[in-house]
């Protein structure tokens, strides 16, 4: 008895690993996250330090150069990653399951975007950011060149459909269609469309999904191309894993460069502080409470553990301000940290990066109410509903690039009869608000992938139980079959031949 107690006592003392080893293991497991957080913090201090010496514009560009390299690297692999992942994903999923997954994903994205829009409107009415006096000219920095051209709501939806069906796939890699109203003669305006610089991700996504389904329909003839896209996809993810280790350095200089570029932080926050606070609080409510609550309700898992797994991607989203550029890192994080299967993440995340814009919808609703309050315009119920619906719908077509949401804000203002000239105020602080928008966008994509993984696992378990019950029902008939049944003998012979052939192959 004493020996047993001694052994158990020694086991208890010996079982815990030393504190230094435990710390090393935790640091090694979360090294990339730690480096990314350190990069953001160090970047803030570098930016504040460099501001004291009043650098020239050329020096500001040099400071942000390492961050520019990170964005270029991420953008470089967006097209091969999106196209190859969607083709291989659509080809590997059964068309019926593909329809179910796509339907559930679109429902989740639509519902969460509507919730985000509602939060934005409510927060704007509570905080009332437009009820302040401000120097419009000083804050806007004469940024009227960045204001989008006038555009009707119907033209925006037509452009969305046009971009779904690109006339040239090669051109879609660096151009998207955009129409704006131009006045002809004196009284009437005509929409004139042009190709704008920027990636038409929506058109590439639709083509890749349809092409993947077509390859699956081909059967054996399409296997070669499917294997090609699968291999291409895996090679791209290897490149992503290499880029991830450069991300902390790039994010550090991106943050430092943005802080150095600011003109007068004090005046900017004094005049637009309530608007910035309204957007930030709304994003925090949606990202830290609403989305985790939805995830917990359906999965009964800790949503904040899930968030920790994608922290590197969220930090990259804050640094790059681009959901498309964050897509490669997000795929890597949800697959390796959160256990989402490849065919789910590589099918859903590119779609989410294109159509799921919770942060943009929330910011657009706050901005619309903010501009209405600046102009002393009281919004009625119909106008509020118009803001919600238009923000939700127009966010689908918003480009996954920095300041992409500002382009669609003009559509909302036109729909409720507000002047688009006040967008210059939004552009003055868009560099900051747009970053939290992007973080919220990619977080919604990740939670959508996690929910779909739970749905697939639950469905597969249910189907497995049904198959097991069918096997048990047939069990009596199988037991009544004699052991020397020709079918069993045949299977046994085939199995034996297979074993012999495998042994021969292994010996070779």
């Amino acid at each position: 008895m004493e020996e047993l107690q001694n052994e158990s006592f020694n086991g208890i003392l010996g079982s815990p690993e030393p504190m230094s080893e435990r710390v090393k293991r935790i640091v090694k497991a979360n090294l990339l996250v730690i480096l990314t957080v350190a990069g953001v913090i160090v970047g803030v201090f570098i930016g504040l330090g460099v501001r004291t010496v009043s650098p020239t514009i050329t020096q500001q560009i040099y400071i942000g150069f390492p961050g520019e390299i990170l964005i270029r690297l991420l953008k470089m692999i967006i097209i091969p990653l999106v196209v190859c992942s969607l083709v291989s994903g659509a080809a590997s999923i059964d068309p019926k399951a593909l329809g179910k997954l796509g339907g559930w994903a679109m429902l989740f994205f639509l519902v969460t975007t509507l919730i985000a829009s509602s939060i934005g409107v409510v927060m704007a009415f509570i905080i009332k950011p437009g009820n302040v006096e401000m120097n419009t000219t000083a804050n806007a920095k004469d940024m009227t060149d960045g204001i989008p051209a006038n555009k009707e709501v119907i033209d925006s939806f037509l452009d969305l459909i046009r971009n779904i069906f690109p006339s040239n796939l090669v051109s879609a890699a660096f151009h998207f269609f955009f129409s704006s109203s131009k006045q002809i003669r004196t009284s009437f305006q005509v929409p004139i469309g042009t190709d704008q610089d920027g990636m038409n991700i929506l058109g590439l996504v639709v083509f890749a999904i349809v092409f993947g389904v077509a390859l699956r329909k081909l059967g054996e003839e399409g296997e070669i191309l499917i294997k090609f896209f699968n291999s291409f996809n895996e090679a791209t993810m290897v490149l992503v894993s290499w880029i991830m280790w450069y991300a902390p350095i790039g994010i550090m200089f991106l943050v430092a460069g943005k802080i150095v570029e600011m003109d007068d932080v004090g005046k900017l926050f004094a005049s637009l502080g309530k608007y910035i606070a309204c957007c930030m609080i709304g994003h925090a409510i949606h990202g830290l409470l609403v989305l985790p609550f939805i995830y917990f309700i359906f999965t009964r898992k800790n949503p904040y553990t899930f968030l920790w797994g994608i922290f590197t991607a969220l930090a990259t989203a804050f640094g790059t301000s681009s959901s498309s550029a964050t897509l490669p890192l997000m795929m890597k994080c949800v697959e390796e940290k959160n256990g989402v299967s490849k065919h789910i993440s590589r099918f859903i995340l590119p779609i989410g990066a294109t159509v799921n814009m919770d942060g943009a919808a929330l910011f657009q609703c706050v901005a619309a109410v903010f501009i209405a309050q600046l102009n002393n315009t009281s919004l009625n119920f119909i106008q509020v509903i118009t803001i919600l619906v238009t923000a939700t719908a127009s966010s689908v077509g918003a480009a996954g690039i920095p300041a992409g949401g500002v382009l669609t804000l003009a559509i909302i203002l036109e729909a409720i009869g507000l002047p688009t000239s006040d967008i210059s105020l939004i552009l003055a602080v868009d560099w900051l608000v747009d970053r939290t928008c992007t973080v919220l966008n990619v977080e919604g994509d990740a939670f959508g992938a996690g929910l779909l993984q739970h749905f697939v696992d639950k469905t597969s378990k249910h189907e497995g139980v049904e198959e097991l019950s069918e096997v048990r029902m047939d069990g009596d008939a199988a037991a009544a079959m004699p052991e020397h049944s020709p079918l069993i003998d045949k299977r046994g012979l085939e199995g034996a031949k297979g074993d012999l052939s495998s042994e021969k192959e292994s010996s070779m």
Side-chain angles (χ1 to χ4, degrees):
M1 186 68 181
E2 293 180 357
E3 292 177 0
L4 182 62
Q5 288 179 350
N6 291 333
E7 289 178 3
S8 62
F9 184 70
N10 292 332
I12 292 172
L13 288 178
S15 58
E17 58 182 339
M19 182 60 69
S20 59
E21 293 296 327
R22 186 183 303 176
V23 171
K24 286 181 181 178
R25 181 171 54 82
I26 294 174
V27 169
K28 187 177 180 180
N30 301 282
L31 181 59
L32 191 59
V33 177
I34 295 170
L35 290 175
T36 305
V37 175
V40 174
I41 296 172
V42 173
V44 171
F45 283 105
I46 290 176
L48 293 175
V50 173
R51 278 178 61 86
T52 59
V53 298
S54 301
T56 63
I57 296 177
T58 304
Q59 291 171 337
Q60 293 176 13
I61 294 173
Y62 292 159
I63 292 170
F65 177 74
E68 180 187 350
I69 296 300
L70 174 64
I71 294 179
R72 294 176 73 89
L73 287 172
L74 291 172
K75 287 184 176 181
M76 174 187 68
I77 58 176
I78 288 174
I79 292 178
L81 184 67
V82 169
V83 173
C84 294
S85 64
L86 281 174
V87 169
S88 60
S92 63
I93 302 175
D94 183 72
K96 293 182 180 179
L98 183 68
K100 285 183 180 179
L101 289 178
W104 282 112
M106 293 306 296
L107 179 63
F108 172 78
F109 294 153
L110 178 64
V111 170
T112 54
T113 305
L114 273 173
I115 294 173
S117 302
S118 303
I119 291 173
V121 171
V122 171
M123 293 302 302
F125 277 113
I126 292 174
I127 297 179
K128 297 181 180 179
N131 294 347
V132 291
E133 294 182 1
M134 61 180 65
N135 187 351
T136 304
T137 306
N139 290 325
K141 298 190 301 182
D142 197 20
M143 296 175 67
T144 53
D145 292 338
I147 300 174
N150 291 335
K151 188 173 182 179
E152 298 293 334
V153 178
I154 183 64
D155 293 333
S156 174
F157 286 105
L158 291 178
D159 284 351
L160 180 64
I161 297 172
R162 290 188 184 103
N163 285 318
I164 289 176
F165 304 102
S167 59
N168 190 324
L169 283 175
V170 177
S171 177
F174 45 85
H175 283 148
F176 66 93
F177 190 87
F178 184 85
S179 62
S180 58
S181 298
K182 292 190 177 180
Q183 190 167 350
I184 304 297
R185 295 173 188 165
T186 56
S187 58
F188 90 131
Q189 294 181 338
V190 175
I192 297 178
T194 56
D195 287 333
Q196 300 286 328
D197 289 339
M199 205 178 302
N200 182 10
I201 288 286
L202 191 61
L204 295 174
V205 162
V206 173
F207 170 79
I209 293 174
V210 175
F211 189 69
V213 173
L215 286 179
R216 184 179 177 87
K217 287 287 184 182
L218 285 177
E220 294 182 359
E221 295 180 359
E223 287 294 328
I224 297 175
L225 263 182
I226 293 174
K227 289 180 180 177
F228 166 77
F229 282 111
N230 287 336
S231 300
F232 204 132
N233 197 18
E234 293 300 327
T236 307
M237 294 307 293
V238 172
L239 293 177
V240 171
S241 65
W242 294 346
I243 295 173
M244 286 179 73
W245 290 104
Y246 177 71
I249 299 174
I251 291 170
M252 178 175 67
F253 285 97
L254 280 172
V255 173
K258 281 299 176 183
I259 291 177
V260 171
E261 289 175 9
M262 289 191 296
D263 286 341
D264 194 331
V265 186
K267 288 183 180 179
L268 195 64
F269 276 82
S271 58
L272 292 172
K274 291 181 73 176
Y275 165 73
I276 297 171
C278 190
C279 292
M280 296 288 188
I281 294 171
H283 288 154
I285 291 173
H286 191 72
L288 297 178
L289 297 178
V290 176
L291 289 177
F293 179 73
I294 294 173
Y295 180 81
F296 173 75
I297 286 296
F298 286 97
T299 64
R300 299 296 176 182
K301 298 177 182 177
N302 188 349
Y304 300 104
T305 303
F306 189 94
L307 273 179
W308 178 252
I310 61 171
F311 191 86
T312 304
L314 296 180
T316 305
F318 183 83
T320 62
S321 186
S322 172
S323 54
S324 298
T326 313
L327 178 62
L329 302 185
M330 180 58 74
M331 285 184 177
K332 197 78 175 173
C333 288
V334 297
E335 290 171 10
E336 295 183 355
K337 301 291 185 180
N338 294 330
V340 178
S341 61
K342 292 181 179 179
H343 74 276
I344 295 290
S345 67
R346 300 182 188 185
F347 173 72
I348 295 302
L349 289 179
I351 298 176
T354 308
V355 303
N356 184 38
M357 298 290 173
D358 293 356
L362 191 150
F363 133 76
Q364 289 165 7
C365 289
V366 172
V369 178
F370 168 67
I371 291 173
Q373 292 170 352
L374 281 179
N375 291 275
N376 295 319
T377 302
S378 58
L379 299 173
N380 56 37
F381 179 74
I382 299 300
Q383 287 176 314
V384 171
I385 297 298
T386 303
I387 291 174
L388 290 175
V389 174
T390 310
T392 303
S394 61
S395 64
V396 174
I401 57 174
V406 175
L407 298 175
T408 57
L409 176 58
I411 303 169
I412 302 173
L413 297 179
E414 288 284 340
I416 57 177
L418 291 174
T420 57
S421 58
D422 288 336
I423 293 180
S424 58
L425 284 170
I426 306 301
L427 289 171
V429 294
D430 182 66
W431 64 269
L432 177 60
V433 175
D434 191 51
R435 276 165 163 69
T436 58
C437 285
T438 307
V439 171
L440 192 57
N441 291 341
V442 299
E443 180 188 340
D445 299 343
F447 273 123
L451 283 171
L452 284 177
Q453 183 64 53
H454 175 75
F455 170 75
V456 169
D457 292 342
K458 188 176 180 180
T459 305
S460 61
K461 285 181 181 179
H462 181 68
E463 291 176 352
V465 170
E466 288 183 350
E467 291 175 0
L468 183 62
S469 63
E470 291 177 0
V471 171
R472 286 176 178 173
M473 287 177 63
D474 295 338
D476 297 337
M481 186 181 293
E483 294 184 0
H484 59 276
S485 167
L487 183 60
I488 293 179
D489 293 340
K490 184 177 180 181
R491 287 180 180 174
L493 288 172
E494 288 178 354
K497 289 178 181 178
D499 293 337
L500 288 172
S501 62
S502 63
E503 287 178 4
K504 289 180 180 178
E505 289 176 358
S506 62
S507 63
M508 290 295 287

